[in-house]
Amino acid sequence: AVKVLLFGPAREAADAGHLEVSVPAPGTLAALREALKEACPALGPLLPSSRFSVEQELVQDEASAAFSASSEVALIPPVTEADRRQFGEGLGCDASSAKTMAAIALLAKSVV
């Protein structure tokens, strides 16, 4: 099983800080998205616009990203101000989550 850390609206939607899901080896992020959707249907609306980080590196090319059950994987929800309003406030995103999302947004902009 792969442990996926959740932040902001994803954390609120799942009502958990992480999910553990099974993904057939070799693990692909497409398979991981599907496993997350099956494990927590409430994440469904967020998954198409969310990104992943593996070992604290924001994934740029999901097709070539590799991970294993021991990898640190995080689901990074939408990070624009409009997305924060749509998903964060609608899901009761607290100030701490909003700050985390703002930091992730800055990181995402710096690596794009």
Side-chain angles (χ1 to χ4, degrees), residues 54-80:
V54 177
E55 300 300 347
Q56 299 184 7
E57 296 279 335
L58 194 61
V59 173
Q60 298 300 317
D61 180 11
E62 289 194 7
S64 66
F67 65 91
S68 67
S70 63
S71 298
E72 179 181 286
V73 179
L75 179 67
I76 311 298
V79 293
T80 66

Side-chain angles (χ1 to χ4, degrees), residues 8-56:
R11 181 183 203 112
E12 298 293 326
D15 196 27
H18 72 275
L19 291 174
E20 291 193 27
V21 294
S22 294
V23 179
T28 66
L29 291 178
L32 183 58
R33 271 185 208 280
E34 193 58 38
L36 286 168
K37 185 176 179 181
E38 288 178 23
C40 182
L43 288 175
L46 295 171
L47 288 170
S49 57
S50 294
R51 298 180 68 187
F52 288 97
S53 71
V54 177
E55 300 300 347
Q56 299 184 7

